[in-house]
Amino acid sequence: MHYTPSRKDHGLAHDPFKAIVAPRPIGWISSLDAAGHLNLAPYSFFNAVCDHPHIVMFSSYGEKDSATHIAASGEFVCSLATFDLREAMNATSAPYPRGISEAEMAGLETAASRAVKPPRVRASPAALECKLLKTDRIAGLDGRWSGNVLVFGEVVSVYIDDAFLKEGRFDLAAARPIARCGYMDYAVVEELFEMVRPVLTERG
Ligand SMILES: Cc1cc2nc3c(=O)[nH]c(=O)nc-3n(C[C@H](O)[C@H](O)[C@H](O)COP(=O)(O)O)c2cc1C
């Protein structure tokens, strides 16, 4: 089959786009509002965009609280969402009114960050503390705002739970991160395989 996204002519119950660009890592984003209230929500249009420097990005459909708070405060933290924390992660996506802490509602403890004000999810094996670089109200080919706000941040401090350091590496298979696929599906990383690149250049 072949379909044109703008025409939605796939003839399927659901657009398969998100099942193709999958699995997508989940940025579990904490931020603070102007009064210092904690906001926590998962975003799967999330990824690292480069590593010199470490820059991450997430995309908010509409100006949701995370994007709004981060635009004002300039700081956020991405905690790693894991299989053990899957129910709590999902619970923090509930649309609570502003000022209600999703973390508290999901029974999650937080821990202070080192370089930014928003805390991380205490039980998460790793977290990226970020300072805002820019937000972008991205337009589509028609030149009009698509309704999506991209948030880019530079990672200024990285937390890793020492229990997940094994032989000098972050033990991803032990952390068991979850990732978003299409529909209601998720993937979990429990097994890795290694491949060596044919030519390694200075630029990586
Ligand atoms: C696994 C998962 C991934 C999500 N990814 C996104 C996303 O990439 N963009 C988005 O706008 N909403 C996403 N959502 C929905 C938000 O988490 C939800 O709208 C939340 O209430 C936003 O919270 P906030 O307004 O406090 O930022 C996702 C939800 C789940 C459960």
Side-chain angles (χ1 to χ4, degrees), residues 26 39-46 58-62 64-67 69 89-90 92-96 102 180 186:
I26 297 170
N39 194 82
L40 177 67
Y43 284 81
S44 66
F45 285 117
F46 164 80
F58 74 91
S59 162
S60 171
Y61 182 61
K64 295 184 179 177
D65 289 352
S66 301
H69 297 332
M89 178 284 297
N90 197 28
T92 60
S93 73
Y96 296 115
E102 293 88 0
R180 194 75 176 88
Y186 288 80

PDB file of all heavy atoms in Angstrom, residues 26 39-46 58-62 64-67 69 89-90 92-96 102 180 186, ligand 1:
ATOM      1  N   ILE A  26      10.842   7.639  25.737  1.00  0.00           N
ATOM      2  CA  ILE A  26       9.903   8.507  26.471  1.00  0.00           C
ATOM      3  C   ILE A  26      10.693   9.459  27.364  1.00  0.00           C
ATOM      4  O   ILE A  26      11.459   9.021  28.223  1.00  0.00           O
ATOM      5  CB  ILE A  26       8.932   7.661  27.322  1.00  0.00           C
ATOM      6  CG1 ILE A  26       8.081   6.776  26.399  1.00  0.00           C
ATOM      7  CG2 ILE A  26       8.057   8.552  28.196  1.00  0.00           C
ATOM      8  CD1 ILE A  26       7.258   5.721  27.136  1.00  0.00           C
ATOM      9  N   ASN A  39       5.461  19.917  37.893  1.00  0.00           N
ATOM     10  CA  ASN A  39       4.672  19.346  36.806  1.00  0.00           C
ATOM     11  C   ASN A  39       5.473  18.178  36.221  1.00  0.00           C
ATOM     12  O   ASN A  39       6.678  18.302  36.022  1.00  0.00           O
ATOM     13  CB  ASN A  39       4.465  20.419  35.728  1.00  0.00           C
ATOM     14  CG  ASN A  39       3.393  20.016  34.747  1.00  0.00           C
ATOM     15  OD1 ASN A  39       2.221  20.192  35.032  1.00  0.00           O
ATOM     16  ND2 ASN A  39       3.775  19.463  33.611  1.00  0.00           N
ATOM     17  N   LEU A  40       4.790  17.048  35.998  1.00  0.00           N
ATOM     18  CA  LEU A  40       5.501  15.872  35.467  1.00  0.00           C
ATOM     19  C   LEU A  40       4.611  15.219  34.413  1.00  0.00           C
ATOM     20  O   LEU A  40       3.442  14.934  34.682  1.00  0.00           O
ATOM     21  CB  LEU A  40       5.779  14.878  36.611  1.00  0.00           C
ATOM     22  CG  LEU A  40       6.451  13.563  36.252  1.00  0.00           C
ATOM     23  CD1 LEU A  40       7.886  13.779  35.774  1.00  0.00           C
ATOM     24  CD2 LEU A  40       6.461  12.619  37.478  1.00  0.00           C
ATOM     25  N   ALA A  41       5.148  14.969  33.224  1.00  0.00           N
ATOM     26  CA  ALA A  41       4.353  14.342  32.160  1.00  0.00           C
ATOM     27  C   ALA A  41       5.275  13.628  31.166  1.00  0.00           C
ATOM     28  O   ALA A  41       6.399  14.066  30.930  1.00  0.00           O
ATOM     29  CB  ALA A  41       3.526  15.400  31.434  1.00  0.00           C
ATOM     30  N   PRO A  42       4.768  12.516  30.589  1.00  0.00           N
ATOM     31  CA  PRO A  42       5.572  11.791  29.602  1.00  0.00           C
ATOM     32  C   PRO A  42       5.398  12.356  28.191  1.00  0.00           C
ATOM     33  O   PRO A  42       4.285  12.736  27.810  1.00  0.00           O
ATOM     34  CB  PRO A  42       5.001  10.373  29.683  1.00  0.00           C
ATOM     35  CG  PRO A  42       3.577  10.542  30.112  1.00  0.00           C
ATOM     36  CD  PRO A  42       3.513  11.807  30.919  1.00  0.00           C
ATOM     37  N   TYR A  43       6.483  12.376  27.449  1.00  0.00           N
ATOM     38  CA  TYR A  43       6.459  12.815  26.040  1.00  0.00           C
ATOM     39  C   TYR A  43       7.255  11.818  25.208  1.00  0.00           C
ATOM     40  O   TYR A  43       8.435  11.593  25.472  1.00  0.00           O
ATOM     41  CB  TYR A  43       7.054  14.237  25.903  1.00  0.00           C
ATOM     42  CG  TYR A  43       6.086  15.295  26.369  1.00  0.00           C
ATOM     43  CD1 TYR A  43       5.946  15.588  27.727  1.00  0.00           C
ATOM     44  CD2 TYR A  43       5.267  15.957  25.458  1.00  0.00           C
ATOM     45  CE1 TYR A  43       5.016  16.524  28.159  1.00  0.00           C
ATOM     46  CE2 TYR A  43       4.343  16.895  25.888  1.00  0.00           C
ATOM     47  CZ  TYR A  43       4.216  17.174  27.232  1.00  0.00           C
ATOM     48  OH  TYR A  43       3.294  18.098  27.663  1.00  0.00           O
ATOM     49  N   SER A  44       6.607  11.221  24.197  1.00  0.00           N
ATOM     50  CA  SER A  44       7.316  10.228  23.377  1.00  0.00           C
ATOM     51  C   SER A  44       7.751  10.790  22.023  1.00  0.00           C
ATOM     52  O   SER A  44       8.482  10.108  21.303  1.00  0.00           O
ATOM     53  CB  SER A  44       6.449   8.992  23.161  1.00  0.00           C
ATOM     54  OG  SER A  44       5.329   9.320  22.392  1.00  0.00           O
ATOM     55  N   PHE A  45       7.299  12.003  21.690  1.00  0.00           N
ATOM     56  CA  PHE A  45       7.972  12.680  20.588  1.00  0.00           C
ATOM     57  C   PHE A  45       9.155  13.364  21.258  1.00  0.00           C
ATOM     58  O   PHE A  45       9.165  14.570  21.524  1.00  0.00           O
ATOM     59  CB  PHE A  45       7.052  13.676  19.876  1.00  0.00           C
ATOM     60  CG  PHE A  45       6.041  12.988  18.999  1.00  0.00           C
ATOM     61  CD1 PHE A  45       4.688  13.101  19.264  1.00  0.00           C
ATOM     62  CD2 PHE A  45       6.443  12.210  17.927  1.00  0.00           C
ATOM     63  CE1 PHE A  45       3.754  12.449  18.465  1.00  0.00           C
ATOM     64  CE2 PHE A  45       5.520  11.548  17.131  1.00  0.00           C
ATOM     65  CZ  PHE A  45       4.169  11.677  17.406  1.00  0.00           C
ATOM     66  N   PHE A  46      10.127  12.522  21.587  1.00  0.00           N
ATOM     67  CA  PHE A  46      11.268  12.917  22.409  1.00  0.00           C
ATOM     68  C   PHE A  46      12.496  12.192  21.900  1.00  0.00           C
ATOM     69  O   PHE A  46      12.425  11.017  21.541  1.00  0.00           O
ATOM     70  CB  PHE A  46      11.011  12.503  23.872  1.00  0.00           C
ATOM     71  CG  PHE A  46      12.245  12.516  24.738  1.00  0.00           C
ATOM     72  CD1 PHE A  46      12.724  13.708  25.262  1.00  0.00           C
ATOM     73  CD2 PHE A  46      12.946  11.351  25.007  1.00  0.00           C
ATOM     74  CE1 PHE A  46      13.881  13.739  26.041  1.00  0.00           C
ATOM     75  CE2 PHE A  46      14.095  11.365  25.789  1.00  0.00           C
ATOM     76  CZ  PHE A  46      14.568  12.566  26.306  1.00  0.00           C
ATOM     77  N   PHE A  58      11.725  17.650  22.863  1.00  0.00           N
ATOM     78  CA  PHE A  58      10.418  16.985  22.866  1.00  0.00           C
ATOM     79  C   PHE A  58       9.413  17.881  22.178  1.00  0.00           C
ATOM     80  O   PHE A  58       9.642  19.089  22.010  1.00  0.00           O
ATOM     81  CB  PHE A  58       9.977  16.572  24.284  1.00  0.00           C
ATOM     82  CG  PHE A  58       9.527  17.695  25.177  1.00  0.00           C
ATOM     83  CD1 PHE A  58       8.186  18.077  25.227  1.00  0.00           C
ATOM     84  CD2 PHE A  58      10.427  18.368  25.980  1.00  0.00           C
ATOM     85  CE1 PHE A  58       7.752  19.102  26.063  1.00  0.00           C
ATOM     86  CE2 PHE A  58      10.006  19.396  26.818  1.00  0.00           C
ATOM     87  CZ  PHE A  58       8.677  19.766  26.855  1.00  0.00           C
ATOM     88  N   SER A  59       8.325  17.265  21.770  1.00  0.00           N
ATOM     89  CA  SER A  59       7.321  17.988  21.002  1.00  0.00           C
ATOM     90  C   SER A  59       5.977  17.893  21.708  1.00  0.00           C
ATOM     91  O   SER A  59       5.524  16.811  22.068  1.00  0.00           O
ATOM     92  CB  SER A  59       7.254  17.360  19.608  1.00  0.00           C
ATOM     93  OG  SER A  59       6.080  17.714  18.956  1.00  0.00           O
ATOM     94  N   SER A  60       5.380  19.057  21.938  1.00  0.00           N
ATOM     95  CA  SER A  60       4.109  19.130  22.652  1.00  0.00           C
ATOM     96  C   SER A  60       3.006  19.440  21.651  1.00  0.00           C
ATOM     97  O   SER A  60       3.108  20.425  20.901  1.00  0.00           O
ATOM     98  CB  SER A  60       4.211  20.254  23.693  1.00  0.00           C
ATOM     99  OG  SER A  60       2.973  20.525  24.284  1.00  0.00           O
ATOM    100  N   TYR A  61       1.973  18.593  21.622  1.00  0.00           N
ATOM    101  CA  TYR A  61       0.847  18.910  20.742  1.00  0.00           C
ATOM    102  C   TYR A  61      -0.024  19.938  21.453  1.00  0.00           C
ATOM    103  O   TYR A  61      -0.761  19.611  22.377  1.00  0.00           O
ATOM    104  CB  TYR A  61       0.061  17.662  20.351  1.00  0.00           C
ATOM    105  CG  TYR A  61      -1.056  18.045  19.404  1.00  0.00           C
ATOM    106  CD1 TYR A  61      -0.753  18.630  18.168  1.00  0.00           C
ATOM    107  CD2 TYR A  61      -2.385  17.917  19.755  1.00  0.00           C
ATOM    108  CE1 TYR A  61      -1.751  19.054  17.316  1.00  0.00           C
ATOM    109  CE2 TYR A  61      -3.392  18.333  18.901  1.00  0.00           C
ATOM    110  CZ  TYR A  61      -3.062  18.907  17.692  1.00  0.00           C
ATOM    111  OH  TYR A  61      -4.064  19.339  16.845  1.00  0.00           O
ATOM    112  N   GLY A  62       0.118  21.167  21.053  1.00  0.00           N
ATOM    113  CA  GLY A  62      -0.549  22.266  21.736  1.00  0.00           C
ATOM    114  C   GLY A  62       0.358  22.795  22.836  1.00  0.00           C
ATOM    115  O   GLY A  62       1.350  22.154  23.205  1.00  0.00           O
ATOM    116  N   LYS A  64       0.911  22.751  25.999  1.00  0.00           N
ATOM    117  CA  LYS A  64       0.590  22.076  27.256  1.00  0.00           C
ATOM    118  C   LYS A  64       1.433  22.671  28.375  1.00  0.00           C
ATOM    119  O   LYS A  64       2.345  23.469  28.133  1.00  0.00           O
ATOM    120  CB  LYS A  64       0.858  20.571  27.101  1.00  0.00           C
ATOM    121  CG  LYS A  64      -0.063  19.910  26.072  1.00  0.00           C
ATOM    122  CD  LYS A  64       0.143  18.414  26.011  1.00  0.00           C
ATOM    123  CE  LYS A  64      -0.802  17.794  24.995  1.00  0.00           C
ATOM    124  NZ  LYS A  64      -0.585  16.334  24.845  1.00  0.00           N
ATOM    125  N   ASP A  65       1.156  22.236  29.623  1.00  0.00           N
ATOM    126  CA  ASP A  65       1.820  22.849  30.782  1.00  0.00           C
ATOM    127  C   ASP A  65       3.343  22.727  30.719  1.00  0.00           C
ATOM    128  O   ASP A  65       4.051  23.685  31.049  1.00  0.00           O
ATOM    129  CB  ASP A  65       1.311  22.200  32.080  1.00  0.00           C
ATOM    130  CG  ASP A  65      -0.129  22.608  32.372  1.00  0.00           C
ATOM    131  OD1 ASP A  65      -0.650  23.493  31.669  1.00  0.00           O
ATOM    132  OD2 ASP A  65      -0.727  22.036  33.300  1.00  0.00           O
ATOM    133  N   SER A  66       3.858  21.547  30.332  1.00  0.00           N
ATOM    134  CA  SER A  66       5.317  21.369  30.338  1.00  0.00           C
ATOM    135  C   SER A  66       5.984  22.433  29.469  1.00  0.00           C
ATOM    136  O   SER A  66       6.907  23.136  29.922  1.00  0.00           O
ATOM    137  CB  SER A  66       5.689  19.972  29.825  1.00  0.00           C
ATOM    138  OG  SER A  66       5.095  18.984  30.616  1.00  0.00           O
ATOM    139  N   ALA A  67       5.527  22.553  28.216  1.00  0.00           N
ATOM    140  CA  ALA A  67       6.143  23.515  27.289  1.00  0.00           C
ATOM    141  C   ALA A  67       5.995  24.947  27.810  1.00  0.00           C
ATOM    142  O   ALA A  67       6.931  25.755  27.729  1.00  0.00           O
ATOM    143  CB  ALA A  67       5.513  23.379  25.903  1.00  0.00           C
ATOM    144  N   HIS A  69       5.588  25.989  31.023  1.00  0.00           N
ATOM    145  CA  HIS A  69       6.425  26.226  32.209  1.00  0.00           C
ATOM    146  C   HIS A  69       7.901  26.339  31.818  1.00  0.00           C
ATOM    147  O   HIS A  69       8.636  27.163  32.365  1.00  0.00           O
ATOM    148  CB  HIS A  69       6.284  25.087  33.221  1.00  0.00           C
ATOM    149  CG  HIS A  69       4.898  24.944  33.776  1.00  0.00           C
ATOM    150  ND1 HIS A  69       4.028  25.994  33.880  1.00  0.00           N
ATOM    151  CD2 HIS A  69       4.239  23.871  34.271  1.00  0.00           C
ATOM    152  CE1 HIS A  69       2.897  25.569  34.407  1.00  0.00           C
ATOM    153  NE2 HIS A  69       2.997  24.289  34.643  1.00  0.00           N
ATOM    154  N   MET A  89       4.211   6.152  35.238  1.00  0.00           N
ATOM    155  CA  MET A  89       4.468   7.026  34.082  1.00  0.00           C
ATOM    156  C   MET A  89       3.147   7.345  33.383  1.00  0.00           C
ATOM    157  O   MET A  89       2.825   8.499  33.091  1.00  0.00           O
ATOM    158  CB  MET A  89       5.439   6.325  33.116  1.00  0.00           C
ATOM    159  CG  MET A  89       5.772   7.074  31.847  1.00  0.00           C
ATOM    160  SD  MET A  89       4.489   7.054  30.581  1.00  0.00           S
ATOM    161  CE  MET A  89       4.376   5.312  30.176  1.00  0.00           C
ATOM    162  N   ASN A  90       2.349   6.304  33.140  1.00  0.00           N
ATOM    163  CA  ASN A  90       1.078   6.481  32.442  1.00  0.00           C
ATOM    164  C   ASN A  90       0.150   7.388  33.257  1.00  0.00           C
ATOM    165  O   ASN A  90      -0.513   8.277  32.710  1.00  0.00           O
ATOM    166  CB  ASN A  90       0.453   5.106  32.203  1.00  0.00           C
ATOM    167  CG  ASN A  90      -0.625   5.134  31.155  1.00  0.00           C
ATOM    168  OD1 ASN A  90      -0.599   5.975  30.253  1.00  0.00           O
ATOM    169  ND2 ASN A  90      -1.581   4.236  31.266  1.00  0.00           N
ATOM    170  N   THR A  92       0.906   9.785  35.153  1.00  0.00           N
ATOM    171  CA  THR A  92       1.298  11.206  35.113  1.00  0.00           C
ATOM    172  C   THR A  92       0.882  11.886  33.814  1.00  0.00           C
ATOM    173  O   THR A  92       1.104  13.086  33.659  1.00  0.00           O
ATOM    174  CB  THR A  92       2.823  11.400  35.327  1.00  0.00           C
ATOM    175  OG1 THR A  92       3.534  10.710  34.291  1.00  0.00           O
ATOM    176  CG2 THR A  92       3.267  10.903  36.681  1.00  0.00           C
ATOM    177  N   SER A  93       0.283  11.128  32.889  1.00  0.00           N
ATOM    178  CA  SER A  93      -0.198  11.765  31.649  1.00  0.00           C
ATOM    179  C   SER A  93      -1.645  12.252  31.809  1.00  0.00           C
ATOM    180  O   SER A  93      -2.212  12.837  30.893  1.00  0.00           O
ATOM    181  CB  SER A  93      -0.109  10.797  30.462  1.00  0.00           C
ATOM    182  OG  SER A  93      -1.112   9.799  30.551  1.00  0.00           O
ATOM    183  N   ALA A  94      -2.232  12.005  32.983  1.00  0.00           N
ATOM    184  CA  ALA A  94      -3.634  12.418  33.200  1.00  0.00           C
ATOM    185  C   ALA A  94      -3.737  13.945  33.211  1.00  0.00           C
ATOM    186  O   ALA A  94      -2.841  14.623  33.716  1.00  0.00           O
ATOM    187  CB  ALA A  94      -4.132  11.847  34.526  1.00  0.00           C
ATOM    188  N   PRO A  95      -4.836  14.470  32.638  1.00  0.00           N
ATOM    189  CA  PRO A  95      -4.976  15.934  32.538  1.00  0.00           C
ATOM    190  C   PRO A  95      -5.476  16.568  33.824  1.00  0.00           C
ATOM    191  O   PRO A  95      -6.605  17.041  33.898  1.00  0.00           O
ATOM    192  CB  PRO A  95      -5.984  16.094  31.391  1.00  0.00           C
ATOM    193  CG  PRO A  95      -6.814  14.849  31.443  1.00  0.00           C
ATOM    194  CD  PRO A  95      -5.957  13.749  32.022  1.00  0.00           C
ATOM    195  N   TYR A  96      -4.621  16.570  34.860  1.00  0.00           N
ATOM    196  CA  TYR A  96      -5.007  17.226  36.124  1.00  0.00           C
ATOM    197  C   TYR A  96      -4.994  18.745  35.940  1.00  0.00           C
ATOM    198  O   TYR A  96      -4.234  19.265  35.126  1.00  0.00           O
ATOM    199  CB  TYR A  96      -4.035  16.848  37.246  1.00  0.00           C
ATOM    200  CG  TYR A  96      -4.049  15.381  37.607  1.00  0.00           C
ATOM    201  CD1 TYR A  96      -2.937  14.578  37.388  1.00  0.00           C
ATOM    202  CD2 TYR A  96      -5.182  14.797  38.164  1.00  0.00           C
ATOM    203  CE1 TYR A  96      -2.949  13.222  37.713  1.00  0.00           C
ATOM    204  CE2 TYR A  96      -5.200  13.445  38.487  1.00  0.00           C
ATOM    205  CZ  TYR A  96      -4.090  12.661  38.257  1.00  0.00           C
ATOM    206  OH  TYR A  96      -4.104  11.333  38.565  1.00  0.00           O
ATOM    207  N   GLU A 102       1.163  15.827  39.368  1.00  0.00           N
ATOM    208  CA  GLU A 102       0.960  14.489  38.788  1.00  0.00           C
ATOM    209  C   GLU A 102       1.817  13.467  39.522  1.00  0.00           C
ATOM    210  O   GLU A 102       1.413  12.314  39.692  1.00  0.00           O
ATOM    211  CB  GLU A 102       1.339  14.468  37.295  1.00  0.00           C
ATOM    212  CG  GLU A 102       0.454  15.295  36.387  1.00  0.00           C
ATOM    213  CD  GLU A 102       0.911  16.739  36.265  1.00  0.00           C
ATOM    214  OE1 GLU A 102       1.917  17.107  36.895  1.00  0.00           O
ATOM    215  OE2 GLU A 102       0.231  17.495  35.529  1.00  0.00           O
ATOM    216  N   ARG A 180       7.597   4.055  23.369  1.00  0.00           N
ATOM    217  CA  ARG A 180       6.236   4.114  22.808  1.00  0.00           C
ATOM    218  C   ARG A 180       6.251   3.614  21.371  1.00  0.00           C
ATOM    219  O   ARG A 180       7.117   3.987  20.578  1.00  0.00           O
ATOM    220  CB  ARG A 180       5.767   5.573  22.869  1.00  0.00           C
ATOM    221  CG  ARG A 180       4.300   5.780  22.640  1.00  0.00           C
ATOM    222  CD  ARG A 180       3.488   5.369  23.843  1.00  0.00           C
ATOM    223  NE  ARG A 180       2.085   5.678  23.581  1.00  0.00           N
ATOM    224  CZ  ARG A 180       1.221   4.866  22.976  1.00  0.00           C
ATOM    225  NH1 ARG A 180       1.601   3.662  22.597  1.00  0.00           N
ATOM    226  NH2 ARG A 180      -0.023   5.244  22.769  1.00  0.00           N
ATOM    227  N   TYR A 186       3.634  -0.586  23.637  1.00  0.00           N
ATOM    228  CA  TYR A 186       4.933  -0.147  24.158  1.00  0.00           C
ATOM    229  C   TYR A 186       5.947  -1.255  23.883  1.00  0.00           C
ATOM    230  O   TYR A 186       5.580  -2.415  23.694  1.00  0.00           O
ATOM    231  CB  TYR A 186       4.878   0.063  25.673  1.00  0.00           C
ATOM    232  CG  TYR A 186       4.101   1.292  26.100  1.00  0.00           C
ATOM    233  CD1 TYR A 186       2.705   1.271  26.163  1.00  0.00           C
ATOM    234  CD2 TYR A 186       4.754   2.458  26.457  1.00  0.00           C
ATOM    235  CE1 TYR A 186       1.992   2.402  26.556  1.00  0.00           C
ATOM    236  CE2 TYR A 186       4.045   3.585  26.853  1.00  0.00           C
ATOM    237  CZ  TYR A 186       2.675   3.551  26.903  1.00  0.00           C
ATOM    238  OH  TYR A 186       1.976   4.670  27.289  1.00  0.00           O
TER     239      TYR A 186
HETATM  240  C1  LIG B   1       3.668   7.407  26.777  1.00  0.00           C
HETATM  241  C2  LIG B   1       3.056   8.752  26.497  1.00  0.00           C
HETATM  242  C3  LIG B   1       3.671   9.583  25.576  1.00  0.00           C
HETATM  243  C4  LIG B   1       3.133  10.851  25.297  1.00  0.00           C
HETATM  244  N1  LIG B   1       3.752  11.634  24.372  1.00  0.00           N
HETATM  245  C5  LIG B   1       3.266  12.874  24.093  1.00  0.00           C
HETATM  246  C6  LIG B   1       3.927  13.705  23.142  1.00  0.00           C
HETATM  247  O1  LIG B   1       4.957  13.348  22.568  1.00  0.00           O
HETATM  248  N2  LIG B   1       3.385  14.934  22.910  1.00  0.00           N
HETATM  249  C7  LIG B   1       2.270  15.369  23.552  1.00  0.00           C
HETATM  250  O2  LIG B   1       1.824  16.511  23.293  1.00  0.00           O
HETATM  251  N3  LIG B   1       1.622  14.600  24.477  1.00  0.00           N
HETATM  252  C8  LIG B   1       2.107  13.378  24.757  1.00  0.00           C
HETATM  253  N4  LIG B   1       1.471  12.583  25.690  1.00  0.00           N
HETATM  254  C9  LIG B   1       0.332  13.120  26.439  1.00  0.00           C
HETATM  255  C10 LIG B   1       0.797  14.007  27.605  1.00  0.00           C
HETATM  256  O3  LIG B   1       1.593  13.283  28.517  1.00  0.00           O
HETATM  257  C11 LIG B   1      -0.456  14.563  28.339  1.00  0.00           C
HETATM  258  O4  LIG B   1      -1.191  15.393  27.459  1.00  0.00           O
HETATM  259  C12 LIG B   1      -0.104  15.315  29.612  1.00  0.00           C
HETATM  260  O5  LIG B   1      -1.301  15.616  30.319  1.00  0.00           O
HETATM  261  C13 LIG B   1       0.635  16.608  29.326  1.00  0.00           C
HETATM  262  O6  LIG B   1       0.956  17.164  30.562  1.00  0.00           O
HETATM  263  P1  LIG B   1       1.367  18.673  30.789  1.00  0.00           P
HETATM  264  O7  LIG B   1       0.214  19.544  30.285  1.00  0.00           O
HETATM  265  O8  LIG B   1       1.536  18.744  32.274  1.00  0.00           O
HETATM  266  O9  LIG B   1       2.644  18.930  30.030  1.00  0.00           O
HETATM  267  C14 LIG B   1       1.961  11.291  25.965  1.00  0.00           C
HETATM  268  C15 LIG B   1       1.331  10.435  26.903  1.00  0.00           C
HETATM  269  C16 LIG B   1       1.874   9.180  27.157  1.00  0.00           C
HETATM  270  C17 LIG B   1       1.207   8.259  28.150  1.00  0.00           C
END
